[in-house]
Amino acid sequence: MPYNKFEEYNMQVTDDVKTRYKHIINDLGEDTQREGLLKTPERAAKAMQFLTQGYDQDPVEILKGAMFKESYNEMVIVKDIELYSLCEHHILPFFGKAHIAYIPNGHIVGLSKLPRIVDVFARRLQVQERLTEQILDCINDTLQPQGVAVVIEAAHMCMMMRGVQKQNSTTTTSGFRGQFEKIETRNEFLKLIGK
């Protein structure tokens, strides 16, 4: 069976953004009628819609859709969650991994929902610090666990390709709520994710 790719785009937005990209490419000195660039404005418009689709998704509903009553009350960790986002300052990518832990308080959540929450917030124009807080607060406010921890490690193309041009730099952000504010719980989490 052949591969079928299915992506939905708002055609009005696609056409508007496509026109803007065409102007940008022209303003940069390129010829948008050149064979290799003929479809670039449309591709870029669709790519931008894909990379910012998090604005149209509700992370709270995603979590609530997979919450289950459970008496388990030990740490749950999902680590090495790939993330890709766009820096809101330069609209250049940053990418890396998120590590999430929570201690249930009567409810657990389907494990796949934690990476989905990362994607919802990452698929917006972002800064890593806010991304960390949004993931943390969403899980904390929705699940109301005994505690939540989030660590994000990412490389930023705005630091690697331009500006200071430091290709080997990474940025780590973290946030802790509830039981993870206690040093022993926090240290257990950090040890389990290899930090």
Side-chain angles (χ1 to χ4, degrees), residues 114-173:
L114 298 177
R116 288 183 192 276
I117 296 307
V118 171
D119 284 347
V120 167
F121 289 116
R123 297 292 187 189
R124 300 174 180 189
L125 299 180
Q126 275 291 11
V127 294
Q128 185 174 329
E129 297 88 343
R130 183 185 322 114
L131 176 60
T132 304
E133 288 276 310
Q134 288 176 329
I135 295 166
L136 186 71
D137 289 340
C138 180
I139 295 167
N140 192 56
D141 296 346
T142 307
L143 285 181
Q144 298 183 350
Q146 295 179 55
V148 184
V150 175
V151 171
I152 295 178
E153 304 166 292
H156 293 249
M157 297 306 283
C158 57
M159 285 182 63
M160 297 166 74
M161 290 179 67
R162 62 169 310 283
V164 297
Q165 298 181 41
K166 301 302 178 196
Q167 285 77 28
N168 297 311
S169 66
T170 58
T171 301
T172 302
T173 50

Side-chain angles (χ1 to χ4, degrees), residues 101-118:
Y102 75 99
I103 300 172
N105 189 20
H107 287 91
I108 60 169
V109 67
L111 295 176
S112 70
K113 301 311 177 201
L114 298 177
R116 288 183 192 276
I117 296 307
V118 171

